[in-house]
Amino acid sequence: MSNEKVQVHRPGAFKQINKPHKHGAHRSKGAIDLANKGRTSVKNLTKKKKNELNREQRRLQATQIRKNKREEVLINKRLGNLDGNSCPHLVCILSLNRDYDPIPVLSKLKESDPENIILETKLKTTHLTIPRFKQKFTFILPNPDNEFGVLDALKVSNTVVFVVSAAAGIEFSSEVIDKYGSRLLLSSFGQGLPTPVIIVTDLETIPQKKRNDRKITIQNEINKWFPNEKVVTLDKNSDALNVLRKIGSQKQKGVTYRDRRPHLLVENYNFIDEQDGKGTLKVSGFLRGTPLSANDLVYIPGLGHYQITQIDAPPNPFDTKSSSTNTLILQKADSQQLQIQEINQDRPETESEQMMETIHEIDEILHEEKELNQKRMIKKVPKGWSNYQAAWIPDEEAELKSDDDDLSEDDQNDSNYMDAMSEEISEYSDAEEDNFDTMTVSEIPLNDKEYDEQFDLKAEKADYEKLKAAKSDLMFPDEVDTPMDIAARKRFERYRGLESFRTSPWDPHENLPEDYSKIFKFKNFDQAKKTILSNVKDREIKDIQKFVTIHVKNVPWDLWQSLEDLESPIILFGLLPHETNMSVVNVVLKRTGLYDEPIKSKERFIFQCGYRRFMVQPIFSQHTNGNKHKFERFFHPNSTAVATFFAPIQFPPSPVLCYKETDGNLTLIATGSVLSCNPDRIILKRIVLSGYPFKIHKRSAVVRFMFFNREDITYFKPCKLHTKYGREGHIKEPLGTHGHMKCVFKHQLKSQDTVLMTLYKRVFPKWKYQDCSQRWMKEKDENNVEMTEIM
């Protein structure tokens, strides 16, 4: 038996062989570990050992971090903020209905607990201390008529309480969220909204059976703006305690541009008049955000930016446990104090020097600027250049004159339009007071004669021309008719042709205007921003209290008086280095649906970039990639554009709101954010000259109506041609002396096609920066257009 052979199965020719698994071009980590069998590469031995964690270790590490954060939050909640050195929770109360007054809401919150400690200030802020929660709150109710005052209050608030009334649309004829509330929410979202809380009041006025349906209706309206927020009822004292508990315990939403800078809400102030109409303004409040140094600069909306002399630590008047009455001097300004330098004055402002100054690394700014300035050469036209070559070098005076000529008629029409509207408003108001004291306009309509007296024909024509130009630009972008009475080589001598808009080179420092010699430029904007933010983050000021008094020097008395009379919240922001230096700021804007009129480049707008508010006349360009961007004559509805203007440097992220004054009222026309502070952004204005085929023979064609003399054809002969049907070609030769020319294309033309020539020139913003003082809300000049300039 043992000698018998064991039969072994041998696969035949039809044995099925499955394909091996293809795991890719690399081995798995397990396969590599099996192959190495514990051996380590020599390269790994020489490298610095990294503590790499596996999956289980990473999971455990995340769990520990989450646990530590949760314990830290619980400890803070148990301790509360009753300590005299801690900041109270700042809450702003706003109504989403113009007809509803939110004062009863504040009264219910104050009466929520009999143990509450209430303290009022002269600036209409209410401090509420709740021993039950071990927390302190500060409530502010800004004036709803002052839109900028409301936005300033939201800038420094930790929580915003939006109040809606269940009686809206029932007891008073208005919606739950009316036009005022929609505009307020749109501005708040565009600026950067703090942590929201939605409160519903007056539910008791609704019948018992309809309360639940009414609350669901309000919740659906709120979900359009706040999808993840639930409304809270406020009718009883227990409801008020629940609201306060939610405000103090919910997760706080940060606002980046605010949290990176020191800021405070002014609780108390004192102006010390010194000389020349200027004095020292002492403002007291709870300092929030990053630490503030006495060497820093500060910005107060409505006043501008100033220097600090010293920072004090007075006794906290809202701390009932403290008995100290001494004022400590925390820090005084020294030789390292930052200077307010808006315009660059290091270079002489001559006609020949038109290059920009550069801001380099923080510790070597002036030294490196002088070295670079010595290496730069002034551009001049070489001798022996032809007239055609010299035509591509823009003349500065002619450039400015061209821009004025292109927009002079429209600007004049806009000015006449504003004057006419101001006169129309004044006449209409007088007529309303004299003729319609007890009757409405609908009851006694105006006759034709009285209506014509109030009708301004110039304003009507200006609006018509503006609408016509905007519609023409939208339908036929950049198409320009060649003038017959002026030579095209003279009319368009500052334009040049490009082989490719994307790849053709354009020197960003070529023939800059004189305004560029006054501004600053970063060598590396992103690196400078990172360095500045890291220095501010690492700053430590020992023994600094939260309640401080800041001495702001050289504040004009009349300007402070006008701001004080407005009775709006006064806030203060600490500035980062270089945020007072002028540069070219680019912001991305998206139009809102609140304004339907055409918006033209170089019109006056009011911008709010983060904490700063000012007036400029920007130019618009397309928001695209690449190193060249097309100039936009109009900012069309439902579109996105980049606005470029001269303004102080501000580091992104920073939200932007754009307003336009119409009939004495402010209208939010666009929202966005700061893109960069880059003077090298090339904005090219494009024009398209059109001609029509007269005779077509295969790939050749005779084109007319693009030019009207032989010299213009010879002058623009190097420029490329293209058609609306996608044909490309060039000018071969002129025919005759009346503007006919022979052109050659890559493919045969169609008789209904249109021949086009595209030309470009670089455009620059105008120096129209004005810091926006709130004085213009009460005082305007006779024309009702120019606003007070604060520099």
Side-chain angles (χ1 to χ4, degrees):
M1 295 294 294
S2 60
N3 295 330
E4 292 181 0
K5 295 183 179 180
V6 179
Q7 297 295 330
V8 180
H9 174 73
R10 299 182 181 277
F14 300 101
K15 164 104 176 142
Q16 178 180 347
I17 301 176
N18 297 328
K19 293 182 179 180
H21 173 67
K22 296 182 180 180
H23 51 74
H26 64 281
R27 294 182 295 172
S28 64
K29 292 182 180 179
I32 294 175
D33 292 339
L34 290 176
N36 291 334
K37 296 181 179 181
R39 293 181 298 232
T40 306
S41 175
V42 177
K43 293 183 179 180
N44 294 334
L45 290 175
T46 56
K47 288 183 179 180
K48 185 177 180 180
K49 186 177 180 181
K50 295 182 180 179
N51 188 16
E52 297 182 357
L53 304 178
N54 56 27
R55 180 182 300 176
E56 184 66 22
Q57 291 173 338
R58 291 194 302 269
R59 186 187 63 80
L60 181 60
Q61 184 185 44
T63 304
Q64 292 174 345
I65 293 174
R66 186 167 57 252
K67 181 180 178 181
N68 294 336
K69 288 184 178 180
R70 185 183 295 110
E71 291 178 354
E72 182 180 358
V73 172
L74 292 176
I75 291 173
N76 293 333
K77 286 184 179 180
R78 294 189 186 101
L79 295 177
N81 61 352
L82 291 181
D83 185 13
N85 193 30
S86 61
C87 292
H89 197 89
L90 185 56
V91 183
C92 178
I93 302 178
L94 297 173
S95 175
L96 295 180
N97 193 300
R98 186 64 185 86
D99 297 334
Y100 183 78
D101 190 0
I103 293 180
V105 174
L106 180 58
S107 301
K108 292 179 182 179
L109 295 178
K110 292 190 295 184
E111 298 171 359
S112 60
D113 193 341
E115 298 180 357
N116 292 345
I117 302 174
I118 304 171
L119 181 62
E120 303 284 347
T121 65
K122 67 177 183 179
L123 294 180
K124 297 182 179 180
T125 58
T126 303
H127 293 270
L128 181 62
T129 303
I130 305 178
R132 176 183 294 190
F133 298 155
K134 297 182 180 180
Q135 288 182 334
K136 294 187 301 184
F137 298 92
T138 300
F139 294 94
I140 52 177
L141 277 75
N143 184 7
D145 295 330
N146 188 351
E147 186 172 356
F148 285 157
V150 174
L151 294 179
D152 289 342
L154 291 176
K155 290 177 185 177
V156 296
S157 299
N158 303 116
T159 300
V160 53
V161 175
F162 291 114
V163 183
V164 295
S165 175
I170 300 176
E171 293 187 359
F172 50 92
S173 58
S174 182
E175 301 177 357
V176 175
I177 302 178
D178 57 1
K179 293 183 179 180
Y180 166 80
S182 301
R183 185 172 66 253
L184 176 61
L185 289 174
L186 190 61
S187 302
S188 303
F189 279 110
Q191 176 183 258
L193 188 69
T195 308
V197 173
I198 316 299
I199 292 178
V200 179
T201 61
D202 300 334
L203 269 179
E204 293 183 347
T205 60
I206 307 298
Q208 183 68 30
K209 295 182 179 179
K210 297 182 180 180
R211 289 181 185 177
N212 190 30
D213 295 339
R214 184 60 175 170
K215 189 175 180 179
I216 293 175
T217 302
I218 295 175
Q219 181 68 61
N220 294 334
E221 290 292 329
I222 295 299
N223 287 340
K224 297 177 182 178
W225 297 92
F226 304 94
N228 300 323
E229 293 293 331
K230 292 185 178 181
V231 297
V232 182
T233 306
L234 179 61
D235 284 325
K236 305 175 183 178
N237 290 340
S238 59
D239 296 337
L241 286 176
N242 292 333
V243 170
L244 291 173
R245 184 182 291 108
K246 182 177 182 180
I247 293 174
S249 61
Q250 66 180 352
K251 183 178 180 181
Q252 294 297 310
K253 177 183 177 182
V255 182
T256 305
Y257 82 95
R258 179 193 66 186
D259 298 337
R260 286 180 175 177
R261 296 172 176 85
H263 57 276
L264 61 83
L265 174 69
V266 177
E267 302 280 357
N268 193 8
Y269 60 83
N270 183 22
F271 189 89
I272 302 176
D273 194 5
E274 295 177 353
Q275 58 181 358
D276 299 334
K278 296 183 179 180
T280 300
L281 176 63
K282 298 181 181 180
V283 293
S284 301
F286 290 95
L287 185 63
R288 295 175 171 85
T290 58
L292 178 66
S293 173
N295 294 327
D296 292 343
L297 302 177
V298 295
Y299 180 84
I300 302 177
L303 293 181
H305 39 255
Y306 300 95
Q307 291 178 323
I308 301 175
T309 56
Q310 70 180 33
I311 301 176
D312 299 339
N316 189 350
F318 314 110
D319 186 11
T320 57
K321 298 181 180 180
S322 177
S323 60
S324 175
T325 59
N326 298 327
T327 300
L328 302 177
I329 299 177
L330 296 179
Q331 191 179 15
K332 288 187 176 182
D334 52 23
S335 58
Q336 298 181 355
Q337 187 177 32
L338 298 178
Q339 302 297 323
I340 300 176
Q341 187 178 5
E342 299 178 355
I343 299 176
N344 190 357
Q345 299 177 354
D346 293 337
R347 291 177 60 93
E349 299 180 8
T350 59
E351 296 181 357
S352 58
E353 286 185 317
Q354 298 178 0
M355 300 303 292
M356 292 176 295
E357 289 294 331
T358 306
I359 299 179
H360 299 289
E361 300 299 330
I362 297 178
D363 297 332
E364 301 178 353
I365 298 174
L366 296 177
H367 180 68
E368 294 188 7
E369 282 180 356
K370 292 180 181 179
E371 290 182 355
L372 287 179
N373 293 337
Q374 293 175 358
K375 297 179 181 179
R376 288 174 177 169
M377 301 297 294
I378 300 173
K379 294 185 178 181
K380 296 182 179 179
V381 180
K383 293 183 179 180
W385 275 30
S386 64
N387 294 333
Y388 173 77
Q389 292 171 318
W392 298 134
I393 305 298
D395 185 14
E396 183 58 30
E397 295 180 359
E399 180 73 14
L400 295 176
K401 183 177 180 181
S402 174
D403 292 340
D404 294 337
D405 292 340
D406 292 343
L407 297 176
S408 60
E409 183 179 355
D410 297 328
D411 293 341
Q412 185 178 3
N413 292 337
D414 295 343
S415 177
N416 295 336
Y417 171 72
M418 295 300 295
D419 294 341
M421 289 302 296
S422 62
E423 294 174 1
E424 181 181 352
I425 293 171
S426 61
E427 293 177 2
Y428 183 80
S429 60
D430 294 338
E432 187 177 12
E433 292 177 359
D434 297 337
N435 302 327
F436 306 103
D437 190 14
T438 58
M439 297 184 182
T440 60
V441 178
S442 59
E443 295 175 356
I444 303 180
L446 296 175
N447 54 33
D448 294 341
K449 183 178 180 180
E450 292 178 349
Y451 186 83
D452 291 340
E453 290 178 356
Q454 299 178 7
F455 185 81
D456 196 320
L457 185 59
K458 292 183 179 180
E460 194 75 10
K461 289 183 177 180
D463 290 347
Y464 174 74
E465 293 295 334
K466 194 173 182 180
L467 289 169
K468 184 179 178 181
K471 186 176 181 181
S472 176
D473 181 73
L474 185 62
M475 296 179 61
F476 308 100
D478 305 321
E479 289 197 19
V480 177
D481 295 331
T482 305
M484 300 182 65
D485 54 344
I486 304 176
R489 61 184 182 278
K490 295 294 183 182
R491 174 63 182 86
F492 308 118
E493 62 181 349
R494 288 165 298 280
Y495 290 84
R496 68 180 72 176
L498 293 179
E499 185 72 18
S500 172
F501 184 82
R502 183 179 64 87
T503 60
S504 297
W506 195 300
D507 188 5
H509 302 103
E510 178 184 357
N511 294 281
L512 300 175
E514 293 183 1
D515 291 338
Y516 273 57
S517 65
K518 306 176 185 178
I519 65 175
F520 295 82
K521 173 195 170 186
F522 287 100
K523 182 178 180 180
N524 189 330
F525 183 77
D526 295 333
Q527 182 63 33
K529 171 190 170 184
K530 186 183 299 184
T531 304
I532 291 172
L533 293 178
S534 62
N535 292 341
V536 173
K537 185 177 180 180
D538 297 339
R539 178 191 299 168
E540 293 184 2
I541 302 179
K542 297 181 180 179
D543 300 330
I544 185 170
Q545 294 189 9
K546 294 297 183 179
F547 189 80
V548 297
T549 298
I550 301 174
H551 298 244
V552 183
K553 66 178 183 179
N554 295 332
V555 178
W557 161 251
D558 56 347
L559 192 58
W560 164 251
Q561 189 65 33
S562 64
L563 181 62
E564 184 182 10
D565 294 340
L566 291 176
E567 298 181 355
S568 62
I570 302 174
I571 63 174
L572 180 143
F573 269 87
L575 302 183
L576 299 177
H578 308 303
E579 286 197 330
T580 60
N581 302 134
M582 295 293 293
S583 184
V584 177
V585 181
N586 306 298
V587 299
V588 182
L589 296 177
K590 184 176 182 179
R591 285 196 59 171
T592 63
L594 302 179
Y595 188 77
D596 298 330
E597 299 295 328
I599 300 176
K600 195 174 184 179
S601 289
K602 300 182 182 179
E603 289 186 6
R604 179 186 290 269
F605 301 104
I606 299 176
F607 277 84
Q608 178 179 287
C609 293
Y611 56 86
R612 182 179 276 116
R613 194 176 299 121
F614 51 85
M615 294 172 287
V616 289
Q617 297 181 8
I619 59 175
F620 298 108
S621 59
Q622 291 182 350
H623 183 36
T624 55
N625 295 329
N627 57 356
K628 293 183 290 295
H629 310 273
K630 179 183 169 297
F631 171 77
E632 293 289 339
R633 293 177 174 85
F634 289 90
F635 189 7
H636 294 288
N638 302 323
S639 63
T640 302
V642 176
T644 302
F645 47 82
F646 290 104
I649 293 172
Q650 189 162 352
F651 295 101
S654 183
V656 177
L657 301 178
C658 181
Y659 291 87
K660 183 176 178 59
E661 186 184 14
T662 57
D663 302 341
N665 299 321
L666 292 177
T667 304
L668 181 65
I669 63 174
T671 60
S673 61
V674 175
L675 179 63
S676 65
C677 297
N678 182 21
D680 290 343
R681 179 181 174 90
I682 300 176
I683 302 175
L684 300 181
K685 184 177 181 180
R686 184 182 71 175
I687 62 171
V688 179
L689 305 181
S690 58
Y692 301 93
F694 180 56
K695 295 180 181 180
I696 300 175
H697 179 68
K698 295 184 178 179
R699 294 190 302 112
S700 300
V702 178
V703 180
R704 60 178 178 176
F705 300 150
M706 181 177 290
F707 303 107
F708 299 98
N709 57 71
R710 186 182 184 91
E711 290 77 10
D712 289 342
I713 299 175
T714 305
Y715 182 84
F716 288 99
K717 187 176 180 179
C719 298
K720 290 179 58 177
L721 299 176
H722 64 280
T723 69
K724 291 187 176 182
Y725 281 74
R727 307 293 190 262
E728 295 182 356
H730 62 276
I731 300 174
K732 185 175 182 180
E733 59 182 357
L735 300 176
T737 60
H738 298 288
H740 288 205
M741 56 185 182
K742 185 177 182 180
C743 304
V744 179
F745 296 88
K746 294 183 178 180
H747 302 86
Q748 185 173 356
L749 263 66
K750 297 183 178 180
S751 58
Q752 67 270 26
D753 205 348
T754 304
V755 182
L756 306 174
M757 176 184 291
T758 305
L759 303 175
Y760 301 91
K761 77 169 180 180
R762 186 177 179 184
V763 293
F764 302 93
K766 293 185 178 181
W767 192 287
K768 297 293 183 180
Y769 174 81
Q770 293 181 356
D771 191 75
C772 185
S773 171
Q774 292 189 2
R775 178 188 298 181
W776 70 274
M777 293 184 177
K778 284 192 174 183
E779 298 178 7
K780 299 183 181 181
D781 61 3
E782 297 177 355
N783 296 329
N784 198 24
V785 177
E786 296 294 334
M787 301 180 184
T788 305
E789 179 178 1
I790 308 298
M791 293 296 290

